[in-house]
Amino acid sequence: MGFGVRSKRWKHHYLIGKLFGPFSFINISEGREEVDDVEHSSRNLVEVAVLMNIVQRLHKEWQCPSQKLSVCVVSSYKAQVKEIERRLGNRYEKLNNFELKVKSVEEYHEGGEADVVIISTVRSNSAGSVGSNLDRQVANVALNSSRHCLWILGNKKNLVEADSVWEDIVSDAKERKCLFNAEEDEDLAKVIIDVKSKLDELEDLLDKDSNIFKAARWKVVFSENFVKSFAKLPSAFSKKLVVNFVLKLANGWRPKSKKINMVCKSSVGIAKQFKVEGRYIICTNDIIWVPGYATQILKVWDILHLEDVPALVNKLDIIYGALSDDFLICCKESCLQGNLEVPVRYASFDVARYKDKNGGSTGSLDAVNGGRSFIEKAKVKESLLLMKFYPFSAGVLSHLLSASDGTVLNVPFEVSDQEREIILCEKSSFILGRSGTGKTTVLVMKLFQKEQQHHIASEGFNVHDALMRGSPSNEPGRIGTSLCQLFVTVNPKLCFAVKQHINNLRRFVHGGNSGEAYISSDVNEMDEYEFKDVPDSLEEIPSHVYPLVITFNMFLLMLDRTLGLSYFDRFPDIRKIYSLETASSRLVAQAVRRKEVTYDKFRTSYWPHFNLQLTRNLDPSRVFTEINSCIKGSLHSRESDDIKLSLASYLQLSKRRVSNFSEDEREMIYKIFEDYEKMKVVRGEYDLADLVNDLHHRFKCEKYEGEFMDFVYIDEVQDLTMKQLGLFKYICSNVEEGFVFAGDTAQTIARGIDFRFEDIRCLFYTEFLHGEERKKDKGLISATSHLSQNFRTHAGVVNLAQSVIDLIYHFFPNSIDPLNPETSLLCGELPILMDCATREDAIIKIFQGKGSHGDNSISFGAEQVIMVRDDYARDKLANKIGRQALVLTIFDCKGLEFEDVLLYNFFGSSPLKEQWRLIYEYMNEKLCLLDPETFPSFTNAKHDVLCYELKQLYVAITRTRQRLWICEDRDGFLSPMADYWQKLNLVQVEILDDSFVQAMQVASSLEDWKWRGMKMLEVRNYKAATQCFERARDFYWEKFARASDLKETANNWRGLRLDKSLEMLREAAEIFESIKNIKKAIECYIDAEDYQKAGELYQVESDLKRAGECFTLAGCYKLAAEVYAEGYYLCDCLYACSEGKLFDLGLRYIRSWKQQKSLSCKPTQKRIDLNASEQEFLRSCALASFKQQNKPAMMKYVKDFSSLESMRTFLEKLGCFGELSELELENGNLLEAAKSARQMGNIFLEADILGKAGNCDDASQLYLASVFAGSLWADGKGWPLKEFPLKKDLLSKAKAYACNCSRHFNEVICENMKFLSSAKFDLRELERQLALSLRKKNLRGQILSARRILDRLLANDVLMHKSGINRSISSLNMTTTKKLIRHWDFWKQEIETIFKCLDSLKDKRSCDFPEHERFCLEYLGVRKRSISLDAD
């Protein structure tokens, strides 16, 4: 096995000590095995440190210049090899007498020997595993390749316990007395202790319970560039060492070397460099405000190789060179506590941050103001000042170490002092800022901060100190459990981004991995994500759903489902979906969207049908805005119960506010509005204003049962009307601090919206603050916070946009909110006015020149756009230049950003035309430029369109990040604005020649075009997306965008040409199917209301729940039931069977499920709900059969009811007592069966059942009672008793049952049978029967005997009367008056008692004579109603 190194021939001692003989196994029991984060291979940093010490000593001890010592380090793990190579670097290269190689076992196997071979076995773990790499063949190769010395480093315990060749090697070393512990060498012992100490410290960094971050003296923040550079560090160990070094800086430790403040001859002298792991950390001191004081912080800019440091320092010199001298002195000031440097705090700090243009000082800590508009000259995406900074905390560290590419760090970043002040504001806030000033960022951070404060306060911590340290709690499950927060915005793309960001922040707080926090931004899933974890209504929202981030449309749908009867019940097709109990929110929302009139639908489907005389001089966008924002959506329309302004009130608006229309125009607009409303009703459509007005009405009439929010955040409020904003007052009563509104009315070009931001404050005051006492407390309404620092573009663009704002505010002060001028920290190229040399079609000159790469045409890149006024101009230009550039309207670009923007023919296509000369009035007044007679005089009514034009121009300008070109075919209409901008030195003029055209061109990769296409998909600009994907040569997404465009166009055409709309939807569906995008194909079929096809595709996708929904809507109930059953959606299956009258099918399913005992174990099934559904289904089946008079079928379903009691209840309510009696008999419940027979009036059946039940006395009496009634009423005449056909049989049955009873009872029955006999008895026999009845208390016998006696006595008297007067004396002798009177009195008394009983029955009182009551009812042939049952 190559152990010949122990022979005398090989006794070379290159190092002093017994560990370093010809053969040694050096046991390193305290090794730390770990898996590398790149190679996913094992390494052992303790073995690396030991090996480095051995190599250094070998090199130092080798003293033979004439001979070369060859050393080879071998390991079977790539990660170990790379770590050793990294640590060695090029230190031992190109040495004449010392050769060092580091190889894997596989590489060493290819050939070669060395004087000294050192093997690093790496594995050292508690499991005793050595892996599969250390097999016998590999070991033999390494062991046979050493000339003089073989030293093996490893953990003997691990290697011995493993079933491998290494067990033999360790045993052999032990026998040869060549096994040593590394600690036996003093130098190696020190190395092991040192490296273990460092590793222990690094492990503490990842301990969430560690106090090392909480005890940090400095607040440390690091930049995005640092994140990217940090990710490129070679190993996790290196990263941990860097983190540990930064943590030492945070605790106040500073190296003793004085050179750290001298970085590449820095002119400012504020940048510091610290060397760690072969790189240099570059950082500076800065000063920030925290509540109560200002303090120094440490800003880490990057970690770089030495050669890259000067470039960064030069940039920092420029940035910090703009700071005032006093501010720099404060930054450089140091404070020592012992050997530690601590941050300087300032109780008051009024030192100016920046120098002004004249070299003085201006500004404050907050931001740059008017004294200086920029301090850095760089591209926006390369700017240091616009980079995000992150706090150095335990949570952030965990994410930093887990991020592999350094591109995204999903943790809270640092905000400016002004933003921090807004975030920490305790009152309801109003945030106004222009495009790119960070409004949404403030909202999200405020929401996140509220959750942090809520949790920190609940834990008893100091909120300020915790937030200052930037170390929020990482305990999961606590955030958001009791704080109800709602974030609403109109833009689905923005909503998606905010959801994603908040999700990432929450994962960060919960200690999740940054990679796990990522939500796919695939636009194919964006619509689906809109409904993810969003409840159908605002009732009983689960705590895990908060914060609730939704679009405004979704907010309206949730309100609609919360407030009783839905607004959409008036639409039959939507009502059908609502009635479907299983319908998903997405299916409902899709149906609702088909009915909504958006601006695109208004323009394409409604506008062409209005009176041409009304629309000729009006713009559809402005009319749609006026209808929705003013007539139906303004505060004025809420002055009464009317949902809209009357014509008179609408015309009067011009007297209360600056009017954008003349009175004549207003009249035409109102007529268009009236026609529009009628057309909507005919087409069965609605607009958002209709739904909003309905919700306001329902809030007034109904009690709100939904959840009340603690905090509500509304972004982009300029996209909402006053009435829409007014809805939020109903769901949040925390007016003191619960509302945050953010927006920019300079961007109010949303079709259907028009108001000032200040109107929101008015709305809040009048509508949200209820009661005079609240209104008196003005402190409830905070001052509007103005965000003025732009983070998206440079000063050249910002200043040009501000010049447009100045014009708007000058001419239309009531149409825009006053703001401080925007500022940018970046200097950039001034916007360019193209000098086209009076040539028409300048755009043709641009795109028909030679390309910069020798091709035949110029093409714009993915980050460049040509912006035009409207759809007509876009389509016309697109026809000219083809696919050479993106051409978008200004409205299309809202919410998008581009590196370069070419604004084309904006002024030439403007309806203002010569009226742009109004700008000269402003220039004359403000700049004292022109003679008053050279320009027209401004009047609001005549020039109202100027306001809209200027807002359009502002949005167009602010879409660029870097370069802006303004090009006109004719200079005439541009001249006023050109003169204005040139006077202010805001633009430069360039001749449109070939060199300029070449400079415009920017090449883009296929990936760039795909990225832009995805952005266009996000904003639903499908035509532009199609063009981008064509340029990207991405055929999948090209077809996706093309089909999406067809789908959207079809929905806009729906009200105009339904057949054409359905054709386009089917075409779109086929395209989606061709690219295997089944979800989108399904959406198209649903929009086309082809629910069966949609269901079939859902079935293919195994989405059986939604397949069942679609089949149900299509009326394919059998298919629906089958897919529901297949997916174990059992309740839904029964619903489909019920709707389709598939009663037998449903019954078979129920019986099948009952046989599947495992069904109740399904985790997704709630058995109690299933049972309820089963019973409801069976009841509906039985009821339907009853209505069809099919009682046998009815009983089939009834017998599957869950309990006999439910069967009884059902049958009793329907009066099916015969069926109930049979059911009771089947179940052996004879007494219950008898009760049912009684309820159905079948006395003979009741008697027979009672007899079978052993109640022979009751049975006998029933037969006797029936004989009694039959004897009286068989002929319908009553008394006297008569014979009837069944009398003999009934008396026989009564006697037969009586024979089974007591002797006394039998005698009574026999006597009663005699009483009921129709035979004639003489008077003496009748008197005997009466006496017997009295003795045995037989009331029936008493009354019948008495009546018969009276009849007999009276009959004799009548006979005497008929025979003649002469016989009267003999008659008196035969019948005494005394006997007649006695029997009469007895009979009369009994009859009077019976009448009393009848009165008690009438009044429903209890009777004092129950026997008389019973006799009376038997006499009349009726029975008393049972109290427990509903039938006789």
Side-chain angles (χ1 to χ4, degrees), residues 123-130 155-162:
R123 301 308 289 265
S124 180
N125 54 68
S126 58
S129 170
V130 299
N155 185 322
K156 70 173 183 180
K157 183 179 180 182
N158 261 95
L159 298 175
V160 168
E161 291 177 353

Side-chain angles (χ1 to χ4, degrees), residues 968-990:
E968 295 285 328
D969 287 339
R970 297 179 180 177
D971 293 336
F973 301 141
L974 170 62
S975 295
M977 288 300 296
D979 292 340
Y980 170 55
W981 285 332
Q982 286 178 292
K983 179 64 178 176
L984 296 175
N985 295 320
L986 297 177
V987 295
Q988 54 183 324
V989 179
E990 294 285 348

Side-chain angles (χ1 to χ4, degrees), residues 62-323:
W62 183 245
Q63 300 294 333
C64 295
S66 60
Q67 292 184 354
K68 178 182 288 187
L69 174 65
S70 60
V71 180
C72 185
V73 178
V74 181
S75 178
S76 58
Y77 292 94
K78 292 182 180 180
Q80 187 79 345
V81 171
K82 286 197 173 185
E83 184 64 23
I84 295 169
E85 289 176 339
R86 187 190 69 81
R87 298 288 294 273
L88 290 172
N90 56 6
R91 193 177 309 169
Y92 300 105
E93 292 181 2
K94 299 179 181 180
L95 297 177
N96 293 327
N97 64 337
F98 190 84
E99 180 184 43
L100 176 65
K101 295 180 180 179
V102 182
K103 294 186 177 183
S104 66
V105 173
E106 290 80 1
E107 293 172 334
Y108 202 71
H109 176 63
E110 296 175 359
E113 290 183 331
D115 296 325
V116 179
V117 175
I118 307 174
I119 299 177
S120 175
T121 60
V122 178
R123 301 308 289 265
S124 180
N125 54 68
S126 58
S129 170
V130 299
S132 60
N133 289 344
L134 296 176
D135 57 21
R136 181 177 297 272
Q137 181 182 1
V138 174
N140 283 337
V141 170
L143 294 172
N144 287 298
S145 300
S146 59
R147 295 192 189 100
H148 301 123
C149 295
L150 173 64
W151 302 331
I152 302 174
L153 310 182
N155 185 322
K156 70 173 183 180
K157 183 179 180 182
N158 261 95
L159 298 175
V160 168
E161 291 177 353
D163 186 14
S164 70
V165 66
W166 291 98
E167 181 179 1
D168 296 334
I169 295 174
V170 173
S171 298
D172 185 80
K174 188 175 182 180
E175 290 177 4
R176 293 168 177 258
K177 297 182 181 181
C178 295
L179 191 150
F180 308 98
N181 291 319
E183 289 81 1
E184 296 178 37
D185 182 269
E186 185 177 350
D187 288 342
L188 294 186
K190 290 180 180 179
V191 167
I192 293 174
I193 292 173
D194 183 59
V195 72
K196 276 188 59 185
S197 176
K198 287 185 179 179
L199 289 172
D200 289 339
E201 288 179 8
L202 298 178
E203 291 300 321
D204 287 342
L205 293 179
L206 301 178
D207 184 0
K208 67 179 183 179
D209 298 322
S210 175
N211 291 320
I212 55 179
F213 286 95
K214 298 177 182 179
R217 292 171 170 82
W218 285 79
K219 178 179 177 66
V220 178
V221 297
F222 54 89
S223 72
E224 290 179 285
N225 284 353
F226 176 84
V227 174
K228 295 174 183 177
S229 299
F230 185 85
K232 296 176 183 177
L233 291 175
S235 68
F237 183 69
S238 298
K239 293 177 181 179
K240 292 177 183 179
L241 289 176
V242 171
V243 169
N244 189 48
F245 191 90
V246 175
L247 184 61
K248 290 167 67 177
L249 295 178
N251 282 313
W253 171 86
R254 296 292 183 270
K256 296 180 180 180
S257 173
K258 296 182 180 180
K259 294 183 179 181
I260 61 171
N261 292 320
M262 299 173 61
V263 182
C264 300
K265 300 180 180 179
S266 169
S267 60
V268 179
I270 193 170
K272 301 178 183 180
Q273 67 175 6
F274 301 98
K275 186 176 181 180
V276 57
E277 286 296 290
R279 289 172 171 80
Y280 292 86
I281 294 176
I282 308 301
C283 59
T284 61
N285 286 359
D286 209 326
I287 297 175
I288 64 167
W289 270 108
V290 296
Y293 59 89
T295 182
Q296 288 179 330
I297 65 169
L298 190 64
K299 297 182 78 170
V300 179
W301 292 91
D302 212 334
I303 177 168
L304 303 168
H305 290 289
L306 183 61
E307 59 269 23
D308 298 323
V309 170
L312 173 59
V313 173
N314 289 338
K315 292 181 180 179
L316 292 177
D317 280 351
I318 296 173
I319 293 172
Y320 280 92
L323 301 181

Side-chain angles (χ1 to χ4, degrees), residues 1018-1071:
E1018 288 176 6
V1019 296
R1020 295 183 169 91
N1021 191 330
Y1022 301 116
K1023 284 185 172 62
T1026 302
Q1027 180 181 345
C1028 292
F1029 292 129
E1030 286 178 354
R1031 297 285 296 271
R1033 300 174 189 171
D1034 192 312
F1035 301 112
Y1036 172 88
W1037 285 109
E1038 178 190 341
K1039 288 186 175 182
F1040 180 95
R1042 195 182 305 280
S1044 298
D1045 184 47
L1046 278 170
K1047 178 175 179 286
E1048 183 173 79
T1049 305
N1051 285 329
N1052 290 335
W1053 278 68
R1054 196 179 194 89
L1056 189 61
R1057 286 190 57 186
L1058 181 60
D1059 56 340
K1060 182 67 174 177
S1061 173
L1062 297 179
E1063 180 184 341
M1064 296 171 74
L1065 284 169
R1066 292 190 183 96
E1067 183 182 353
E1070 290 171 0
I1071 295 175

Side-chain angles (χ1 to χ4, degrees), residues 429-430 634-636 638-639 656-657 717 721-723 725-726 729 735 741 745 755-770 775 778 780-784 814 817:
S429 306
F430 304 87
S634 69
L635 286 170
H636 305 287
R638 301 201 61 229
E639 295 173 356
R656 288 189 281 176
R657 56 177 284 186
V717 293
T721 67
M722 289 291 100
K723 272 194 176 178
L725 288 170
K729 73 174 184 178
V735 293
F741 304 90
T745 49
F755 67 87
R756 293 183 308 154
F757 199 87
E758 191 62 27
D759 293 338
I760 301 175
R761 291 175 57 82
C762 177
L763 171 75
F764 191 81
Y765 184 79
T766 58
E767 299 292 328
F768 286 61
L769 297 176
H770 304 292
K775 290 182 180 180
K778 296 182 180 179
L780 292 177
I781 303 180
S782 66
T784 301
N814 292 320
D817 300 281

